[in-house]
Amino acid sequence: MEGNYYPLLKWILLAPLAGFAVNGLFGRKFLGEKFGGLVGSLAILVSFIFAALTFSDLLNLPPEYRLLRDTLYTWISAGSFVVEAAFRFDPLSAVMALIVTGVSFLIHVYSIGYMKGDAGYNRYFAYLNLFVFFMLILVLADNPLLMFVGWEGVGLCSYLLIGFWYEDPEKASAGKKAFITNRVGDAGFLIGLMLLFGLLASQGFAAMDFASLEKNAPLLTSATALGIGAPTLICLLLFFGATGKSAQFPLYVWLPDAMAGPTPVSALIHAATMVTAGVYMLARLHFLYELAPRALEVVMLVGCFTAFFAAVIGLLQKDIKKVLAYSTVSQLGYMFMAAGAGAFSASIFHLATHAFFKALLFLAAGSVIHGMSGEQDMFKMGGLKKEMPFTFLLMAAGWLAIAGVPGLSGFYSKDLILEKVFEHGGPAVWAVGVLTAGLTAFYTTRLFILTFLRARRGQGHAHESPLTMTLPMAALAVLAVAGGFLLKDRLFIFLEPLAAHGGEHSPLAARLMMASVGAGLAGILLAFPLTLPDAAAFLKNSLSRLHGIVFRKFYVDEIYGLLVIRPLKLFSDRVLFSLVDAGLIDGVLVNGSARACYAAGRALKRAQSGRLDIYALVFALGVTAMLFWII
């Protein structure tokens, strides 16, 4: 399917790029704080409008012809290998583009109030616009290489945004940790792409757009690499890249530390955009993963473990943003569980609903932090129901949605994932998923109780946030409440052919739903008595060793520091620097060659004595030697 040429498609990307240029080049001097946020927000609004208009035109096409393309130019041309800078707008990229631009616009508007008075106000909006630009490249790219440009671009922007307040060493370090951890995963992603291109080229196919890849992917079934089936190895390498970008075990460690950035950044990166890139990549390349059932099993098991592991850590966090960070890691695990079960449309469904309620929860947490003058410790909060009534109601919508209360968005998508996992992953994986659902309901209820319902422990007075912050939260609250119901059937019809991998219900759906809903309600009900000070103190003392392990996040960062970071630093210092750099390169090749030339010059200097008899003797000896060699 060639797709219809659609020249307006590029404007979805150009609007945020223009916003980045205006704020980045002229913002501080000409726009100032008054217009900088307005320009940044309008750029994303224009992008959303173009995405919505393109979506409308896409709906007017017959389902089998729903593909719009826009080619800018030939990017790479090397013999038969040609890669175009081209974009595609099909049902999958349409859903992603609308989520990215829609949620990002609300976060931009929220940021106008949240970042007011910050010295880097215009720089902040420039970074946000650039981030959205690269994210749109990622989801609209027509080939994996262009998608990789967006993939790396959002990694760069996440570094800039997480370490936005770089004057603080802790925040700067968090940005570096996110950047380096993602580069580890991206190395696997890039190797997977090279292997994919190389094997297909050896079969005589050099076209790398997604339509050609889907057509030619079955040729890989007979190929092997390193003794492993080519599809399996390629899919595992690509998934390793996804574990970095989408914060799955073992490369999830950057995301909790990324809370060092401004709270709207947390909502943008950890709700609807960058962290969902790995899920989108698997859905985009579903035709390749369907050729590698072993790789899908790995995806499902890693997602299952990550979902449970992060949920357990989230139980005892004190920082309101850290709770939501581990919640994001856990919910991304759910999405990978669905993809690993072959239910790609179910993973995209949860991606959409998660964007609504998790963005709402982060923005509500930011409203609390703003109202509490920067305080993030939940044990110093409490009683905010009266002081921040709008934030209280809006966060309640997000809390009930993520807890899986029937009728709200999280209920529909999470329930469908557990159903598909039961069908294709077995009872054990399903049981872990249900237990994780109960833990999710518990720690989000604990967050809500400590923040709004319990008596205040800290000092000071809280205040409600301005309309620029509460109105975007209200829009997300509507989506968190009604989004699942509105999308549950329409999305699967629209996402053909992905809908064939997750839209239908099994005969056991009702019983499985009762189990998952029961787990969620149990988590909510248990949180109320167990968060009482006496009960919490009793559990902490009774399970002190286990409490310490969970509270310190299973010492994963310490283990990485001992087994990975410290040996790498030691190897870099003792071998790469001392022996290779200072010893071989500087000592032998650079300084050694200089010393050799200097010594040769000193030796030759002695030969320049000025005595003609010595010169004549040397000349005669040279002539004699030449004659001897010739004869």
Short mmCIF file of all heavy atoms in Angstrom, two decimals, residues 233-280:
data_model
loop_
_atom_site.label_atom_id
_atom_site.label_comp_id
_atom_site.label_asym_id
_atom_site.label_seq_id
_atom_site.Cartn_x
_atom_site.Cartn_y
_atom_site.Cartn_z
N LEU A 233 16.71 -12.77 17.46
CA LEU A 233 17.83 -11.94 17.89
C LEU A 233 17.56 -10.47 17.62
O LEU A 233 17.81 -9.61 18.49
CB LEU A 233 19.11 -12.38 17.18
CG LEU A 233 20.39 -11.64 17.57
CD1 LEU A 233 20.65 -11.76 19.07
CD2 LEU A 233 21.58 -12.15 16.78
N ILE A 234 17.02 -10.16 16.46
CA ILE A 234 16.72 -8.76 16.12
C ILE A 234 15.70 -8.20 17.10
O ILE A 234 15.85 -7.09 17.62
CB ILE A 234 16.20 -8.66 14.67
CG1 ILE A 234 17.33 -8.98 13.69
CG2 ILE A 234 15.64 -7.28 14.40
CD1 ILE A 234 16.87 -9.13 12.26
N CYS A 235 14.65 -8.96 17.36
CA CYS A 235 13.60 -8.49 18.27
C CYS A 235 14.11 -8.31 19.69
O CYS A 235 13.72 -7.36 20.39
CB CYS A 235 12.41 -9.45 18.25
SG CYS A 235 11.45 -9.41 16.72
N LEU A 236 15.00 -9.19 20.14
CA LEU A 236 15.56 -9.03 21.48
C LEU A 236 16.44 -7.80 21.57
O LEU A 236 16.42 -7.08 22.58
CB LEU A 236 16.35 -10.28 21.86
CG LEU A 236 15.53 -11.54 22.15
CD1 LEU A 236 16.45 -12.74 22.42
CD2 LEU A 236 14.61 -11.33 23.35
N LEU A 237 17.22 -7.52 20.53
CA LEU A 237 18.06 -6.33 20.53
C LEU A 237 17.22 -5.06 20.53
O LEU A 237 17.51 -4.10 21.25
CB LEU A 237 18.99 -6.36 19.32
CG LEU A 237 20.14 -7.37 19.37
CD1 LEU A 237 20.81 -7.50 18.00
CD2 LEU A 237 21.18 -6.97 20.41
N LEU A 238 16.18 -5.05 19.72
CA LEU A 238 15.29 -3.89 19.69
C LEU A 238 14.59 -3.72 21.04
O LEU A 238 14.41 -2.59 21.53
CB LEU A 238 14.26 -4.04 18.58
CG LEU A 238 14.81 -4.06 17.14
CD1 LEU A 238 13.68 -4.29 16.15
CD2 LEU A 238 15.53 -2.76 16.82
N PHE A 239 14.20 -4.83 21.65
CA PHE A 239 13.54 -4.74 22.96
C PHE A 239 14.50 -4.25 24.03
O PHE A 239 14.09 -3.53 24.95
CB PHE A 239 12.97 -6.10 23.35
CG PHE A 239 12.41 -6.15 24.73
CD1 PHE A 239 11.32 -5.35 25.08
CD2 PHE A 239 12.94 -6.98 25.71
CE1 PHE A 239 10.79 -5.37 26.36
CE2 PHE A 239 12.42 -7.01 26.99
CZ PHE A 239 11.34 -6.20 27.31
N PHE A 240 15.78 -4.59 23.89
CA PHE A 240 16.75 -4.06 24.85
C PHE A 240 16.80 -2.54 24.78
O PHE A 240 16.93 -1.86 25.81
CB PHE A 240 18.14 -4.65 24.58
CG PHE A 240 19.17 -4.26 25.60
CD1 PHE A 240 19.10 -4.72 26.90
CD2 PHE A 240 20.22 -3.41 25.26
CE1 PHE A 240 20.05 -4.36 27.85
CE2 PHE A 240 21.17 -3.04 26.19
CZ PHE A 240 21.09 -3.51 27.49
N GLY A 241 16.70 -2.00 23.58
CA GLY A 241 16.58 -0.55 23.45
C GLY A 241 15.33 -0.03 24.12
O GLY A 241 15.35 1.04 24.75
N ALA A 242 14.24 -0.78 24.00
CA ALA A 242 12.98 -0.36 24.63
C ALA A 242 13.07 -0.39 26.15
O ALA A 242 12.42 0.41 26.82
CB ALA A 242 11.84 -1.26 24.14
N THR A 243 13.86 -1.30 26.72
CA THR A 243 13.98 -1.35 28.18
C THR A 243 14.63 -0.09 28.72
O THR A 243 14.37 0.31 29.86
CB THR A 243 14.80 -2.57 28.64
OG1 THR A 243 16.13 -2.48 28.12
CG2 THR A 243 14.16 -3.87 28.20
N GLY A 244 15.49 0.56 27.90
CA GLY A 244 16.07 1.83 28.33
C GLY A 244 15.09 2.97 28.19
O GLY A 244 14.83 3.72 29.12
N LYS A 245 14.51 3.10 27.00
CA LYS A 245 13.62 4.23 26.74
C LYS A 245 12.34 4.13 27.57
O LYS A 245 11.81 5.14 28.03
CB LYS A 245 13.28 4.27 25.25
CG LYS A 245 12.72 5.57 24.77
CD LYS A 245 13.75 6.70 24.84
CE LYS A 245 14.89 6.49 23.88
NZ LYS A 245 15.96 7.47 23.99
N SER A 246 11.82 2.92 27.74
CA SER A 246 10.56 2.73 28.47
C SER A 246 10.76 2.21 29.88
O SER A 246 9.82 1.67 30.48
CB SER A 246 9.64 1.79 27.67
OG SER A 246 9.27 2.38 26.44
N ALA A 247 11.97 2.32 30.39
CA ALA A 247 12.26 2.07 31.82
C ALA A 247 11.79 0.71 32.30
O ALA A 247 11.05 0.60 33.28
CB ALA A 247 11.64 3.18 32.68
N GLN A 248 12.26 -0.35 31.63
CA GLN A 248 11.99 -1.70 32.08
C GLN A 248 13.26 -2.29 32.69
O GLN A 248 14.37 -1.83 32.43
CB GLN A 248 11.51 -2.56 30.91
CG GLN A 248 10.19 -2.10 30.33
CD GLN A 248 9.04 -2.21 31.31
OE1 GLN A 248 8.52 -3.29 31.57
NE2 GLN A 248 8.63 -1.07 31.86
N PHE A 249 13.08 -3.30 33.50
CA PHE A 249 14.23 -3.96 34.14
C PHE A 249 15.13 -4.54 33.04
O PHE A 249 14.64 -5.16 32.11
CB PHE A 249 13.73 -5.08 35.06
CG PHE A 249 14.81 -5.69 35.90
CD1 PHE A 249 15.13 -5.13 37.12
CD2 PHE A 249 15.51 -6.81 35.48
CE1 PHE A 249 16.12 -5.68 37.92
CE2 PHE A 249 16.50 -7.36 36.26
CZ PHE A 249 16.81 -6.79 37.47
N PRO A 250 16.45 -4.33 33.09
CA PRO A 250 17.23 -3.76 34.20
C PRO A 250 17.57 -2.28 34.03
O PRO A 250 18.34 -1.75 34.83
CB PRO A 250 18.50 -4.60 34.14
CG PRO A 250 18.69 -4.85 32.66
CD PRO A 250 17.31 -4.97 32.07
N LEU A 251 17.04 -1.61 33.00
CA LEU A 251 17.45 -0.23 32.72
C LEU A 251 16.41 0.80 33.18
O LEU A 251 16.33 1.88 32.63
CB LEU A 251 17.71 -0.07 31.22
CG LEU A 251 18.84 -0.93 30.63
CD1 LEU A 251 19.00 -0.67 29.14
CD2 LEU A 251 20.16 -0.68 31.35
N TYR A 252 15.64 0.46 34.20
CA TYR A 252 14.60 1.36 34.70
C TYR A 252 15.13 2.42 35.66
O TYR A 252 14.43 3.37 36.01
CB TYR A 252 13.52 0.55 35.44
CG TYR A 252 13.99 0.05 36.77
CD1 TYR A 252 13.76 0.77 37.94
CD2 TYR A 252 14.73 -1.12 36.88
CE1 TYR A 252 14.22 0.33 39.17
CE2 TYR A 252 15.20 -1.57 38.09
CZ TYR A 252 14.94 -0.85 39.23
OH TYR A 252 15.41 -1.28 40.44
N VAL A 253 16.39 2.28 36.10
CA VAL A 253 16.89 3.03 37.26
C VAL A 253 16.95 4.54 37.01
O VAL A 253 17.01 5.32 37.97
CB VAL A 253 18.28 2.51 37.68
CG1 VAL A 253 18.17 1.12 38.28
CG2 VAL A 253 19.24 2.50 36.49
N TRP A 254 16.94 4.97 35.76
CA TRP A 254 17.03 6.40 35.49
C TRP A 254 15.72 7.13 35.79
O TRP A 254 15.74 8.31 36.16
CB TRP A 254 17.41 6.65 34.03
CG TRP A 254 16.36 6.24 33.03
CD1 TRP A 254 16.24 5.02 32.43
CD2 TRP A 254 15.29 7.04 32.53
NE1 TRP A 254 15.15 5.01 31.58
CE2 TRP A 254 14.56 6.23 31.61
CE3 TRP A 254 14.88 8.35 32.74
CZ2 TRP A 254 13.44 6.71 30.94
CZ3 TRP A 254 13.76 8.83 32.08
CH2 TRP A 254 13.05 8.01 31.17
N LEU A 255 14.58 6.45 35.64
CA LEU A 255 13.30 7.15 35.69
C LEU A 255 12.97 7.71 37.07
O LEU A 255 12.53 8.86 37.17
CB LEU A 255 12.19 6.25 35.16
CG LEU A 255 10.87 6.94 34.86
CD1 LEU A 255 10.18 6.28 33.67
CD2 LEU A 255 9.92 6.89 36.04
N PRO A 256 13.14 6.97 38.17
CA PRO A 256 12.84 7.58 39.48
C PRO A 256 13.71 8.81 39.77
O PRO A 256 13.22 9.80 40.33
CB PRO A 256 13.12 6.45 40.47
CG PRO A 256 12.91 5.19 39.67
CD PRO A 256 13.42 5.52 38.31
N ASP A 257 14.97 8.77 39.36
CA ASP A 257 15.84 9.93 39.58
C ASP A 257 15.47 11.10 38.69
O ASP A 257 15.81 12.24 38.98
CB ASP A 257 17.30 9.55 39.34
CG ASP A 257 17.87 8.68 40.45
OD1 ASP A 257 17.07 8.20 41.28
OD2 ASP A 257 19.09 8.47 40.49
N ALA A 258 14.76 10.82 37.59
CA ALA A 258 14.36 11.88 36.67
C ALA A 258 13.34 12.82 37.28
O ALA A 258 13.00 13.85 36.68
CB ALA A 258 13.79 11.28 35.37
N MET A 259 12.84 12.49 38.46
CA MET A 259 11.91 13.40 39.15
C MET A 259 12.59 14.69 39.59
O MET A 259 11.95 15.60 40.10
CB MET A 259 11.33 12.71 40.40
CG MET A 259 10.50 11.47 40.09
SD MET A 259 9.06 11.80 39.06
CE MET A 259 9.61 11.14 37.51
N ALA A 260 13.92 14.77 39.38
CA ALA A 260 14.63 16.00 39.73
C ALA A 260 14.23 17.17 38.85
O ALA A 260 14.41 18.33 39.22
CB ALA A 260 16.14 15.76 39.62
N GLY A 261 13.68 16.89 37.67
CA GLY A 261 13.26 17.96 36.77
C GLY A 261 11.97 18.60 37.24
O GLY A 261 11.31 18.13 38.17
N PRO A 262 11.56 19.70 36.59
CA PRO A 262 10.27 20.32 36.93
C PRO A 262 9.13 19.33 36.77
O PRO A 262 9.15 18.47 35.88
CB PRO A 262 10.16 21.46 35.90
CG PRO A 262 11.57 21.75 35.49
CD PRO A 262 12.30 20.44 35.56
N THR A 263 8.12 19.43 37.62
CA THR A 263 7.02 18.46 37.63
C THR A 263 6.29 18.37 36.29
O THR A 263 5.94 17.25 35.87
CB THR A 263 6.04 18.80 38.75
OG1 THR A 263 6.74 18.78 40.00
CG2 THR A 263 4.92 17.77 38.82
N PRO A 264 6.04 19.46 35.55
CA PRO A 264 5.42 19.28 34.23
C PRO A 264 6.25 18.43 33.29
O PRO A 264 5.71 17.73 32.43
CB PRO A 264 5.29 20.72 33.71
CG PRO A 264 5.30 21.58 34.92
CD PRO A 264 6.18 20.88 35.90
N VAL A 265 7.58 18.47 33.45
CA VAL A 265 8.45 17.60 32.65
C VAL A 265 8.19 16.15 32.99
O VAL A 265 8.15 15.28 32.11
CB VAL A 265 9.93 17.97 32.89
CG1 VAL A 265 10.85 16.94 32.27
CG2 VAL A 265 10.22 19.36 32.35
N SER A 266 8.00 15.87 34.27
CA SER A 266 7.68 14.50 34.68
C SER A 266 6.38 14.05 34.04
O SER A 266 6.26 12.91 33.58
CB SER A 266 7.58 14.42 36.21
OG SER A 266 8.76 14.85 36.83
N ALA A 267 5.39 14.93 33.99
CA ALA A 267 4.12 14.59 33.35
C ALA A 267 4.29 14.36 31.87
O ALA A 267 3.70 13.44 31.29
CB ALA A 267 3.10 15.70 33.60
N LEU A 268 5.13 15.17 31.22
CA LEU A 268 5.32 15.04 29.78
C LEU A 268 6.10 13.79 29.42
O LEU A 268 5.69 13.00 28.57
CB LEU A 268 6.05 16.29 29.26
CG LEU A 268 6.30 16.34 27.74
CD1 LEU A 268 4.99 16.45 26.99
CD2 LEU A 268 7.22 17.50 27.39
N ILE A 269 7.23 13.59 30.09
CA ILE A 269 8.11 12.46 29.74
C ILE A 269 7.53 11.14 30.22
O ILE A 269 7.58 10.13 29.53
CB ILE A 269 9.51 12.69 30.35
CG1 ILE A 269 10.18 13.89 29.68
CG2 ILE A 269 10.37 11.44 30.18
CD1 ILE A 269 11.55 14.21 30.26
N HIS A 270 6.94 11.13 31.43
CA HIS A 270 6.58 9.87 32.08
C HIS A 270 5.11 9.51 31.95
O HIS A 270 4.64 8.60 32.63
CB HIS A 270 6.96 9.94 33.56
CG HIS A 270 8.39 10.29 33.77
ND1 HIS A 270 8.82 11.15 34.75
CD2 HIS A 270 9.50 9.92 33.09
CE1 HIS A 270 10.14 11.29 34.67
NE2 HIS A 270 10.57 10.55 33.67
N ALA A 271 4.37 10.21 31.11
CA ALA A 271 2.95 9.89 30.93
C ALA A 271 2.64 9.51 29.50
O ALA A 271 2.25 8.38 29.21
CB ALA A 271 2.09 11.08 31.37
N ALA A 272 2.83 10.43 28.57
CA ALA A 272 2.30 10.23 27.22
C ALA A 272 3.37 10.16 26.15
O ALA A 272 3.04 9.84 25.01
CB ALA A 272 1.34 11.38 26.88
N THR A 273 4.61 10.44 26.47
CA THR A 273 5.56 10.61 25.37
C THR A 273 6.74 9.64 25.47
O THR A 273 6.61 8.48 25.12
CB THR A 273 6.04 12.07 25.33
OG1 THR A 273 6.53 12.46 26.61
CG2 THR A 273 4.90 13.00 24.97
N MET A 274 7.88 10.11 25.94
CA MET A 274 9.13 9.36 25.77
C MET A 274 9.07 7.93 26.29
O MET A 274 9.51 7.00 25.62
CB MET A 274 10.26 10.12 26.44
CG MET A 274 11.59 9.40 26.39
SD MET A 274 12.90 10.39 27.09
CE MET A 274 13.88 9.16 27.92
N VAL A 275 8.55 7.73 27.48
CA VAL A 275 8.59 6.38 28.06
C VAL A 275 7.67 5.40 27.33
O VAL A 275 7.79 4.19 27.52
CB VAL A 275 8.23 6.41 29.56
CG1 VAL A 275 9.28 7.15 30.35
CG2 VAL A 275 6.85 7.01 29.79
N THR A 276 6.76 5.92 26.51
CA THR A 276 5.90 5.02 25.73
C THR A 276 6.50 4.69 24.37
O THR A 276 5.91 3.94 23.60
CB THR A 276 4.52 5.63 25.53
OG1 THR A 276 4.64 6.86 24.79
CG2 THR A 276 3.85 5.93 26.86
N ALA A 277 7.69 5.24 24.08
CA ALA A 277 8.30 5.03 22.76
C ALA A 277 8.60 3.55 22.51
O ALA A 277 8.42 3.05 21.39
CB ALA A 277 9.59 5.85 22.65
N GLY A 278 9.04 2.84 23.54
CA GLY A 278 9.33 1.42 23.38
C GLY A 278 8.08 0.61 23.07
O GLY A 278 8.10 -0.32 22.26
N VAL A 279 6.97 0.96 23.72
CA VAL A 279 5.70 0.28 23.46
C VAL A 279 5.25 0.54 22.03
O VAL A 279 4.82 -0.37 21.31
CB VAL A 279 4.62 0.75 24.46
CG1 VAL A 279 3.30 0.04 24.20
CG2 VAL A 279 5.08 0.54 25.89
N TYR A 280 5.37 1.80 21.60
CA TYR A 280 5.01 2.14 20.23
C TYR A 280 5.87 1.38 19.23
O TYR A 280 5.38 0.89 18.20
CB TYR A 280 5.15 3.64 20.00
CG TYR A 280 5.10 4.04 18.55
CD1 TYR A 280 3.89 4.08 17.87
CD2 TYR A 280 6.26 4.34 17.85
CE1 TYR A 280 3.83 4.42 16.53
CE2 TYR A 280 6.22 4.68 16.51
CZ TYR A 280 5.00 4.72 15.86
OH TYR A 280 4.95 5.05 14.52
#
